[in-house]
Amino acid sequence: MTDPILEVEDLATRFYTDEGVVEAVDGVSFDLYEGETVGIVGESGSGKSVTAMSIMGLIDSPGRVEEGTIRYRGEDLLERSESGIREIRGGEISMIFQDPMTSLNPVYTVGEQISRVIRQHRDVSQSEARARAVELMGDVGIPEAESRVDNYPHQFSGGMRQRALIAMAISCEPEILIADEPTTALDVTIEAQIFDVLEELQETYGMSVILITHDLGVVAGTAERVNVMYAGRIVERADVDALFENPRHPYTRGLMRSIPRLHGSADRLEPIAGSVPNPAALPSGCSFHPRCPHATELCRGYDPELREVEPGREAACVHARGYGGPDERATGSGEPVAADGGDDDE
């Protein structure tokens, strides 16, 4: 296998606030290979977007990346100067942000904004950049791109603004595209269209994609591998098929149960009890234990690391089969929990 195009290792990003130190991202590691899509999934506040912003070099005071490495084609981006990061950002690594209305400047036309990104990273004339902007707008499915290139963001619908952001993000044919909740606030029909556009563009340009979402259902048909995040950490990692077939972490199982299904009215959504903890005041032991229906005394006192529980599968739960953590039988804390949440009789 070839080397990853991106390697994030032991990333720690903290914010220093009046309430205390916020451990927004705490020891996150993952990699990305050429042409693949990797999902990062979790509820709001789990650290997904801060991970993306750390990769892009967009963490501002009072936050800072304090530990770890972010290697792009073998080079640690954290060792680059701000000007060096700008050379990479938007050109070789690009990002689609959540809210197109705040990401697009209301006083410039959509075409101008796409053209500016192109001219920042490519040695082309203004007319060439405009022509490329029109082409890109057509590529992402904006109708009558030749005339709409001179429209302002407020003249676009939510779905069209998101398409414009995608056009801007791919304008310099990046190696890596980070899509941070790219369909937030869009209806399911438009959401499906946006993901179809992203899939076509990935195939056209050969991009590697990091897809950030709160919805496991979104990554089911788009990603090859999935990282599940909770309270600033990755708590489970697996190939997408393996994850859906047999989730090992109780948080992942909770996310699964909250996916809407069309199997009749008898199937009801089962939300996860409680909420994501305050990252400035995390609970002791496993951060998920206050919300976990299978928590034991061991969970309340022991903070599990992400470990391999079977080939190609990692989980940060002492109850995951194969975890190899502290000897539960010796502590009297209970037997491991099976994937379906019942007693493990293997």
Side-chain angles (χ1 to χ4, degrees):
M1 181 178 287
T2 59
D3 292 334
I5 187 173
L6 181 73
E7 298 171 275
V8 177
E9 185 174 354
D10 295 328
L11 181 67
T13 301
R14 301 184 178 97
F15 291 81
Y16 291 83
T17 71
D18 293 338
E19 295 182 12
V21 180
V22 176
E23 302 274 358
V25 176
D26 183 15
V28 164
S29 300
F30 68 94
D31 51 31
L32 177 71
Y33 288 86
E34 291 197 28
E36 80 165 337
T37 298
V38 166
I40 300 179
V41 183
E43 295 166 283
S44 296
S46 61
K48 311 182 305 296
S49 294
V50 177
T51 298
M53 299 289 274
S54 300
I55 294 170
M56 295 293 293
L58 293 173
I59 300 297
D60 294 324
S61 181
R64 58 178 180 262
V65 177
E66 293 198 324
E67 297 175 21
T69 58
I70 302 171
R71 294 189 184 90
Y72 169 63
R73 295 198 178 280
E75 178 189 1
D76 188 358
L77 297 182
L78 297 179
E79 295 181 353
R80 279 200 166 213
S81 64
E82 176 57 33
S83 61
I85 287 293
R86 284 198 298 268
E87 292 175 2
I88 295 285
R89 186 169 59 225
E92 295 179 62
I93 304 176
S94 193
M95 185 168 173
I96 305 169
F97 295 91
Q98 292 186 30
D99 187 354
M101 202 58 194
T102 57
S103 300
L104 292 168
N105 192 320
V107 302
Y108 294 103
T109 68
V110 171
E112 284 179 296
Q113 294 182 65
I114 297 173
S115 296
R116 286 186 174 199
V117 174
I118 295 171
R119 296 194 70 191
Q120 182 178 353
H121 296 279
R122 298 288 185 269
D123 184 16
V124 297
S125 67
Q126 188 168 342
S127 61
E128 289 172 327
R130 176 189 167 89
R132 178 59 176 155
V134 171
E135 181 183 357
L136 287 163
M137 289 172 66
D139 288 346
V140 299
I142 297 176
E144 302 175 356
E146 185 66 51
S147 60
R148 303 214 68 180
V149 71
D150 294 317
N151 285 171
Y152 289 87
H154 74 270
Q155 295 174 285
F156 278 44
S157 67
M160 287 299 112
R161 284 195 292 268
Q162 195 61 277
R163 290 172 189 265
L165 272 186
I166 294 172
M168 191 180 304
I170 66 163
S171 60
C172 295
E173 302 181 16
E175 298 279 344
I176 298 171
L177 178 66
I178 302 174
D180 185 7
E181 300 276 10
T183 57
T184 297
L186 301 179
D187 65 47
V188 292
T189 302
I190 303 301
E191 177 181 74
Q193 293 173 1
I194 294 297
F195 280 116
D196 285 344
V197 167
L198 287 173
E199 186 176 351
E200 291 172 7
L201 293 171
Q202 182 178 17
E203 188 172 330
T204 299
Y205 295 109
M207 297 181 297
S208 303
V209 176
I210 299 173
L211 175 61
I212 295 172
T213 179
H214 64 277
D215 187 351
L216 265 174
V218 166
V219 303
T222 55
E224 285 85 32
R225 294 185 293 138
V226 186
N227 298 280
V228 180
M229 281 194 75
Y230 186 78
R233 296 184 177 184
I234 294 175
V235 296
E236 184 162 6
R237 181 182 4 252
D239 291 344
V240 66
D241 291 339
L243 189 84
F244 275 82
E245 180 180 346
N246 183 21
R248 290 298 185 85
H249 197 283
Y251 179 61
T252 309
R253 293 197 293 273
L255 292 176
M256 294 277 193
R257 287 192 292 267
S258 66
I259 300 173
R261 292 175 173 83
L262 300 177
H263 297 317
S265 58
D267 288 342
R268 301 182 61 183
L269 297 181
E270 299 180 39
I272 303 173
S275 59
V276 176
N278 181 349
L282 294 173
S284 62
C286 172
S287 296
F288 187 62
H289 89 255
R291 306 174 70 188
C292 181
H294 310 295
T296 64
E297 285 303 315
L298 179 62
C299 303
R300 297 179 183 94
Y302 177 72
D303 187 9
E305 299 177 356
L306 187 69
R307 293 185 185 176
E308 187 173 72
V309 295
E310 65 181 53
R313 166 70 67 89
E314 296 170 90
C317 176
V318 294
H319 296 301
R321 288 192 294 264
Y323 180 78
D327 187 346
E328 294 184 78
R329 288 168 295 183
T331 62
S333 59
E335 293 299 315
V337 175
D340 63 2
D343 291 333
D344 186 346
D345 57 6
E346 293 187 357

